[in-house]
mmCIF file of all heavy atoms in Angstrom:
data_model
loop_
_atom_site.group_PDB
_atom_site.id
_atom_site.type_symbol
_atom_site.label_atom_id
_atom_site.label_comp_id
_atom_site.label_asym_id
_atom_site.label_seq_id
_atom_site.Cartn_x
_atom_site.Cartn_y
_atom_site.Cartn_z
ATOM 1 N N VAL T 454 5.454 6.159 15.103
ATOM 2 C CA VAL T 454 5.012 4.758 15.149
ATOM 3 C C VAL T 454 3.866 4.560 14.136
ATOM 4 O O VAL T 454 2.702 4.422 14.519
ATOM 5 C CB VAL T 454 4.564 4.363 16.581
ATOM 6 C CG1 VAL T 454 4.321 2.861 16.672
ATOM 7 C CG2 VAL T 454 5.612 4.772 17.618
ATOM 8 N N PRO T 455 4.199 4.546 12.862
ATOM 9 C CA PRO T 455 3.140 4.433 11.844
ATOM 10 C C PRO T 455 2.422 3.092 11.887
ATOM 11 O O PRO T 455 1.347 2.940 11.303
ATOM 12 C CB PRO T 455 3.904 4.609 10.528
ATOM 13 C CG PRO T 455 5.319 4.243 10.842
ATOM 14 C CD PRO T 455 5.540 4.634 12.271
ATOM 15 N N GLU T 456 3.011 2.133 12.609
ATOM 16 C CA GLU T 456 2.371 0.820 12.723
ATOM 17 C C GLU T 456 0.936 0.939 13.245
ATOM 18 O O GLU T 456 0.066 0.147 12.908
ATOM 19 C CB GLU T 456 3.160 -0.088 13.683
ATOM 20 C CG GLU T 456 4.481 -0.601 13.142
ATOM 21 C CD GLU T 456 5.627 0.389 13.313
ATOM 22 O OE1 GLU T 456 5.387 1.544 13.715
ATOM 23 O OE2 GLU T 456 6.779 0.013 13.015
ATOM 24 N N ILE T 457 0.701 1.951 14.108
ATOM 25 C CA ILE T 457 -0.624 2.069 14.732
ATOM 26 C C ILE T 457 -1.673 2.419 13.677
ATOM 27 O O ILE T 457 -2.760 1.853 13.643
ATOM 28 C CB ILE T 457 -0.616 3.152 15.837
ATOM 29 C CG1 ILE T 457 0.450 2.857 16.884
ATOM 30 C CG2 ILE T 457 -1.990 3.254 16.491
ATOM 31 C CD1 ILE T 457 0.702 4.006 17.862
ATOM 32 N N GLY T 458 -1.319 3.372 12.841
ATOM 33 C CA GLY T 458 -2.294 3.809 11.850
ATOM 34 C C GLY T 458 -2.415 2.870 10.661
ATOM 35 O O GLY T 458 -3.462 2.772 10.043
ATOM 36 N N TRP T 459 -1.340 2.154 10.383
ATOM 37 C CA TRP T 459 -1.302 1.355 9.160
ATOM 38 C C TRP T 459 -1.411 -0.154 9.398
ATOM 39 O O TRP T 459 -1.834 -0.901 8.517
ATOM 40 C CB TRP T 459 0.027 1.586 8.425
ATOM 41 C CG TRP T 459 0.097 2.859 7.665
ATOM 42 C CD1 TRP T 459 0.588 4.046 8.112
ATOM 43 C CD2 TRP T 459 -0.333 3.091 6.318
ATOM 44 N NE1 TRP T 459 0.506 4.994 7.134
ATOM 45 C CE2 TRP T 459 -0.047 4.443 6.015
ATOM 46 C CE3 TRP T 459 -0.911 2.283 5.340
ATOM 47 C CZ2 TRP T 459 -0.340 5.000 4.778
ATOM 48 C CZ3 TRP T 459 -1.195 2.852 4.094
ATOM 49 C CH2 TRP T 459 -0.905 4.197 3.836
ATOM 50 N N GLY T 460 -0.992 -0.584 10.588
ATOM 51 C CA GLY T 460 -0.790 -2.021 10.763
ATOM 52 C C GLY T 460 -2.041 -2.791 11.156
ATOM 53 O O GLY T 460 -3.138 -2.249 11.240
ATOM 54 N N THR T 461 -1.840 -4.073 11.407
ATOM 55 C CA THR T 461 -2.924 -4.905 11.944
ATOM 56 C C THR T 461 -2.652 -5.119 13.424
ATOM 57 O O THR T 461 -1.502 -5.160 13.850
ATOM 58 C CB THR T 461 -2.970 -6.281 11.257
ATOM 59 O OG1 THR T 461 -1.641 -6.830 11.327
ATOM 60 C CG2 THR T 461 -3.398 -6.176 9.817
ATOM 61 N N PHE T 462 -3.703 -5.270 14.213
ATOM 62 C CA PHE T 462 -3.477 -5.393 15.649
ATOM 63 C C PHE T 462 -3.972 -6.733 16.185
ATOM 64 O O PHE T 462 -4.829 -7.389 15.581
ATOM 65 C CB PHE T 462 -4.132 -4.241 16.427
ATOM 66 C CG PHE T 462 -5.641 -4.305 16.477
ATOM 67 C CD1 PHE T 462 -6.288 -4.999 17.499
ATOM 68 C CD2 PHE T 462 -6.416 -3.667 15.524
ATOM 69 C CE1 PHE T 462 -7.668 -5.065 17.560
ATOM 70 C CE2 PHE T 462 -7.796 -3.713 15.579
ATOM 71 C CZ PHE T 462 -8.432 -4.412 16.589
ATOM 72 N N ALA T 463 -3.397 -7.097 17.324
ATOM 73 C CA ALA T 463 -3.872 -8.279 18.060
ATOM 74 C C ALA T 463 -3.959 -7.868 19.519
ATOM 75 O O ALA T 463 -3.135 -7.100 20.011
ATOM 76 C CB ALA T 463 -2.883 -9.423 17.894
ATOM 77 N N ILE T 464 -4.981 -8.375 20.196
ATOM 78 C CA ILE T 464 -5.077 -8.114 21.629
ATOM 79 C C ILE T 464 -4.493 -9.335 22.332
ATOM 80 O O ILE T 464 -4.944 -10.465 22.109
ATOM 81 C CB ILE T 464 -6.537 -7.856 22.028
ATOM 82 C CG1 ILE T 464 -6.995 -6.568 21.335
ATOM 83 C CG2 ILE T 464 -6.682 -7.735 23.554
ATOM 84 C CD1 ILE T 464 -8.427 -6.233 21.477
ATOM 85 N N LEU T 465 -3.450 -9.111 23.117
ATOM 86 C CA LEU T 465 -2.743 -10.236 23.732
ATOM 87 C C LEU T 465 -3.367 -10.571 25.081
ATOM 88 O O LEU T 465 -3.805 -9.687 25.812
ATOM 89 C CB LEU T 465 -1.261 -9.887 23.939
ATOM 90 C CG LEU T 465 -0.502 -9.373 22.725
ATOM 91 C CD1 LEU T 465 0.973 -9.187 23.061
ATOM 92 C CD2 LEU T 465 -0.647 -10.322 21.542
ATOM 93 N N ARG T 466 -3.372 -11.858 25.374
ATOM 94 C CA ARG T 466 -3.911 -12.283 26.675
ATOM 95 C C ARG T 466 -2.872 -11.997 27.748
ATOM 96 O O ARG T 466 -1.712 -12.352 27.615
ATOM 97 C CB ARG T 466 -4.206 -13.783 26.649
ATOM 98 C CG ARG T 466 -5.425 -14.119 25.824
ATOM 99 C CD ARG T 466 -5.564 -15.622 25.747
ATOM 100 N NE ARG T 466 -6.035 -16.158 27.032
ATOM 101 C CZ ARG T 466 -7.311 -16.249 27.333
ATOM 102 N NH1 ARG T 466 -8.235 -15.852 26.494
ATOM 103 N NH2 ARG T 466 -7.674 -16.756 28.502
ATOM 104 N N VAL T 467 -3.311 -11.356 28.803
ATOM 105 C CA VAL T 467 -2.431 -11.167 29.957
ATOM 106 C C VAL T 467 -3.176 -11.626 31.208
ATOM 107 O O VAL T 467 -4.355 -11.970 31.148
ATOM 108 C CB VAL T 467 -1.955 -9.702 30.123
ATOM 109 C CG1 VAL T 467 -0.906 -9.344 29.093
ATOM 110 C CG2 VAL T 467 -3.110 -8.730 30.074
ATOM 111 N N ASP T 468 -2.451 -11.600 32.340
ATOM 112 C CA ASP T 468 -2.976 -12.204 33.563
ATOM 113 C C ASP T 468 -4.223 -11.509 34.128
ATOM 114 O O ASP T 468 -4.920 -12.064 34.949
ATOM 115 C CB ASP T 468 -1.892 -12.191 34.641
ATOM 116 C CG ASP T 468 -0.506 -12.380 34.050
ATOM 117 O OD1 ASP T 468 -0.128 -11.645 33.122
ATOM 118 O OD2 ASP T 468 0.199 -13.269 34.510
ATOM 119 N N THR T 469 -4.461 -10.280 33.741
ATOM 120 C CA THR T 469 -5.561 -9.541 34.369
ATOM 121 C C THR T 469 -6.386 -8.777 33.337
ATOM 122 O O THR T 469 -5.838 -8.275 32.346
ATOM 123 C CB THR T 469 -5.013 -8.535 35.411
ATOM 124 O OG1 THR T 469 -6.041 -7.587 35.726
ATOM 125 C CG2 THR T 469 -3.805 -7.777 34.904
ATOM 126 N N ASP T 470 -7.682 -8.670 33.591
ATOM 127 C CA ASP T 470 -8.558 -7.906 32.697
ATOM 128 C C ASP T 470 -8.403 -6.406 32.877
ATOM 129 O O ASP T 470 -9.020 -5.615 32.176
ATOM 130 C CB ASP T 470 -10.028 -8.277 32.954
ATOM 131 C CG ASP T 470 -10.308 -9.714 32.581
ATOM 132 O OD1 ASP T 470 -9.653 -10.209 31.658
ATOM 133 O OD2 ASP T 470 -11.165 -10.343 33.250
ATOM 134 N N GLU T 471 -7.616 -6.023 33.867
ATOM 135 C CA GLU T 471 -7.428 -4.581 34.092
ATOM 136 C C GLU T 471 -6.357 -4.000 33.173
ATOM 137 O O GLU T 471 -6.185 -2.788 33.130
ATOM 138 C CB GLU T 471 -7.054 -4.316 35.558
ATOM 139 C CG GLU T 471 -8.152 -4.751 36.504
ATOM 140 C CD GLU T 471 -8.127 -4.047 37.840
ATOM 141 O OE1 GLU T 471 -7.129 -3.379 38.144
ATOM 142 O OE2 GLU T 471 -9.123 -4.179 38.568
ATOM 143 N N VAL T 472 -5.636 -4.876 32.483
ATOM 144 C CA VAL T 472 -4.573 -4.393 31.587
ATOM 145 C C VAL T 472 -4.935 -4.736 30.146
ATOM 146 O O VAL T 472 -5.303 -5.872 29.836
ATOM 147 C CB VAL T 472 -3.213 -5.013 31.959
ATOM 148 C CG1 VAL T 472 -2.149 -4.662 30.915
ATOM 149 C CG2 VAL T 472 -2.779 -4.531 33.343
ATOM 150 N N LEU T 473 -4.833 -3.736 29.277
ATOM 151 C CA LEU T 473 -5.032 -3.979 27.854
ATOM 152 C C LEU T 473 -3.653 -4.064 27.204
ATOM 153 O O LEU T 473 -2.842 -3.149 27.342
ATOM 154 C CB LEU T 473 -5.837 -2.832 27.228
ATOM 155 C CG LEU T 473 -6.179 -2.995 25.752
ATOM 156 C CD1 LEU T 473 -7.222 -4.098 25.550
ATOM 157 C CD2 LEU T 473 -6.706 -1.682 25.157
ATOM 158 N N ALA T 474 -3.390 -5.180 26.522
ATOM 159 C CA ALA T 474 -2.106 -5.375 25.835
ATOM 160 C C ALA T 474 -2.396 -5.507 24.343
ATOM 161 O O ALA T 474 -3.154 -6.384 23.929
ATOM 162 C CB ALA T 474 -1.424 -6.639 26.351
ATOM 163 N N MET T 475 -1.815 -4.612 23.559
ATOM 164 C CA MET T 475 -2.057 -4.655 22.109
ATOM 165 C C MET T 475 -0.747 -4.666 21.352
ATOM 166 O O MET T 475 0.179 -3.935 21.697
ATOM 167 C CB MET T 475 -2.844 -3.420 21.664
ATOM 168 C CG MET T 475 -4.267 -3.416 22.156
ATOM 169 S SD MET T 475 -5.134 -1.973 21.508
ATOM 170 C CE MET T 475 -5.492 -2.517 19.849
ATOM 171 N N ARG T 476 -0.727 -5.465 20.321
ATOM 172 C CA ARG T 476 0.454 -5.527 19.474
ATOM 173 C C ARG T 476 0.045 -5.162 18.047
ATOM 174 O O ARG T 476 -0.999 -5.595 17.563
ATOM 175 C CB ARG T 476 1.011 -6.956 19.499
ATOM 176 C CG ARG T 476 2.175 -7.167 18.561
ATOM 177 C CD ARG T 476 2.512 -8.640 18.437
ATOM 178 N NE ARG T 476 3.248 -8.805 17.206
ATOM 179 C CZ ARG T 476 4.476 -9.287 17.098
ATOM 180 N NH1 ARG T 476 5.101 -9.715 18.182
ATOM 181 N NH2 ARG T 476 5.071 -9.390 15.944
ATOM 182 N N TYR T 477 0.874 -4.361 17.408
ATOM 183 C CA TYR T 477 0.637 -4.010 16.005
ATOM 184 C C TYR T 477 1.774 -4.539 15.151
ATOM 185 O O TYR T 477 2.940 -4.479 15.562
ATOM 186 C CB TYR T 477 0.603 -2.492 15.811
ATOM 187 C CG TYR T 477 -0.615 -1.818 16.370
ATOM 188 C CD1 TYR T 477 -0.664 -1.448 17.702
ATOM 189 C CD2 TYR T 477 -1.702 -1.523 15.559
ATOM 190 C CE1 TYR T 477 -1.782 -0.805 18.216
ATOM 191 C CE2 TYR T 477 -2.820 -0.884 16.064
ATOM 192 C CZ TYR T 477 -2.850 -0.528 17.391
ATOM 193 O OH TYR T 477 -3.951 0.107 17.890
ATOM 194 N N ASP T 478 1.439 -4.985 13.958
ATOM 195 C CA ASP T 478 2.449 -5.442 12.998
ATOM 196 C C ASP T 478 2.267 -4.705 11.690
ATOM 197 O O ASP T 478 1.144 -4.538 11.220
ATOM 198 C CB ASP T 478 2.278 -6.947 12.740
ATOM 199 C CG ASP T 478 2.778 -7.745 13.918
ATOM 200 O OD1 ASP T 478 3.992 -8.058 13.950
ATOM 201 O OD2 ASP T 478 1.964 -8.014 14.820
ATOM 202 N N TRP T 479 3.390 -4.278 11.153
ATOM 203 C CA TRP T 479 3.345 -3.614 9.837
ATOM 204 C C TRP T 479 4.718 -3.667 9.210
ATOM 205 O O TRP T 479 5.710 -3.298 9.840
ATOM 206 C CB TRP T 479 2.892 -2.154 9.994
ATOM 207 C CG TRP T 479 2.682 -1.444 8.693
ATOM 208 C CD1 TRP T 479 1.852 -1.814 7.680
ATOM 209 C CD2 TRP T 479 3.298 -0.222 8.277
ATOM 210 N NE1 TRP T 479 1.911 -0.895 6.660
ATOM 211 C CE2 TRP T 479 2.794 0.097 6.998
ATOM 212 C CE3 TRP T 479 4.235 0.636 8.864
ATOM 213 C CZ2 TRP T 479 3.185 1.229 6.293
ATOM 214 C CZ3 TRP T 479 4.621 1.771 8.158
ATOM 215 C CH2 TRP T 479 4.102 2.063 6.888
ATOM 216 N N ARG T 480 4.786 -4.197 8.022
ATOM 217 C CA ARG T 480 6.023 -4.235 7.243
ATOM 218 C C ARG T 480 7.206 -4.794 8.024
ATOM 219 O O ARG T 480 8.280 -4.201 8.065
ATOM 220 C CB ARG T 480 6.365 -2.841 6.733
ATOM 221 C CG ARG T 480 5.339 -2.329 5.757
ATOM 222 C CD ARG T 480 5.777 -1.025 5.170
ATOM 223 N NE ARG T 480 4.915 -0.690 4.042
ATOM 224 C CZ ARG T 480 4.946 0.472 3.413
ATOM 225 N NH1 ARG T 480 5.791 1.392 3.800
ATOM 226 N NH2 ARG T 480 4.162 0.702 2.413
ATOM 227 N N GLY T 481 6.968 -5.867 8.701
ATOM 228 C CA GLY T 481 8.063 -6.556 9.380
ATOM 229 C C GLY T 481 8.454 -5.930 10.708
ATOM 230 O O GLY T 481 9.413 -6.363 11.341
ATOM 231 N N ASN T 482 7.743 -4.916 11.156
ATOM 232 C CA ASN T 482 8.011 -4.321 12.467
ATOM 233 C C ASN T 482 6.812 -4.519 13.371
ATOM 234 O O ASN T 482 5.678 -4.640 12.900
ATOM 235 C CB ASN T 482 8.280 -2.826 12.334
ATOM 236 C CG ASN T 482 9.615 -2.584 11.676
ATOM 237 O OD1 ASN T 482 10.627 -3.119 12.110
ATOM 238 N ND2 ASN T 482 9.608 -1.809 10.604
ATOM 239 N N ALA T 483 7.109 -4.510 14.674
ATOM 240 C CA ALA T 483 6.010 -4.701 15.620
ATOM 241 C C ALA T 483 6.186 -3.780 16.820
ATOM 242 O O ALA T 483 7.307 -3.486 17.242
ATOM 243 C CB ALA T 483 5.961 -6.155 16.075
ATOM 244 N N VAL T 484 5.064 -3.331 17.352
ATOM 245 C CA VAL T 484 5.069 -2.515 18.566
ATOM 246 C C VAL T 484 4.047 -3.100 19.542
ATOM 247 O O VAL T 484 3.097 -3.774 19.131
ATOM 248 C CB VAL T 484 4.720 -1.039 18.279
ATOM 249 C CG1 VAL T 484 5.921 -0.271 17.754
ATOM 250 C CG2 VAL T 484 3.545 -0.930 17.320
ATOM 251 N N LEU T 485 4.278 -2.826 20.805
ATOM 252 C CA LEU T 485 3.424 -3.402 21.844
ATOM 253 C C LEU T 485 3.060 -2.304 22.837
ATOM 254 O O LEU T 485 3.934 -1.528 23.260
ATOM 255 C CB LEU T 485 4.208 -4.505 22.558
ATOM 256 C CG LEU T 485 3.599 -5.055 23.835
ATOM 257 C CD1 LEU T 485 2.422 -5.960 23.515
ATOM 258 C CD2 LEU T 485 4.656 -5.836 24.628
ATOM 259 N N PHE T 486 1.795 -2.257 23.216
ATOM 260 C CA PHE T 486 1.345 -1.232 24.160
ATOM 261 C C PHE T 486 0.629 -1.884 25.327
ATOM 262 O O PHE T 486 -0.204 -2.780 25.136
ATOM 263 C CB PHE T 486 0.388 -0.254 23.469
ATOM 264 C CG PHE T 486 1.011 0.420 22.288
ATOM 265 C CD1 PHE T 486 0.708 0.016 20.994
ATOM 266 C CD2 PHE T 486 1.939 1.440 22.460
ATOM 267 C CE1 PHE T 486 1.303 0.620 19.903
ATOM 268 C CE2 PHE T 486 2.540 2.056 21.380
ATOM 269 C CZ PHE T 486 2.227 1.642 20.096
#
Side-chain angles (χ1 to χ4, degrees):
V454 189
E456 288 83 352
I457 304 169
W459 282 93
T461 52
F462 71 89
I464 295 173
L465 308 185
R466 287 175 74 87
V467 286
D468 326 53
T469 164
D470 294 329
E471 298 204 348
V472 172
L473 183 70
M475 291 183 79
R476 175 191 159 121
Y477 288 85
D478 286 272
W479 186 57
R480 295 186 169 172
N482 289 308
V484 279
L485 169 75
F486 302 103

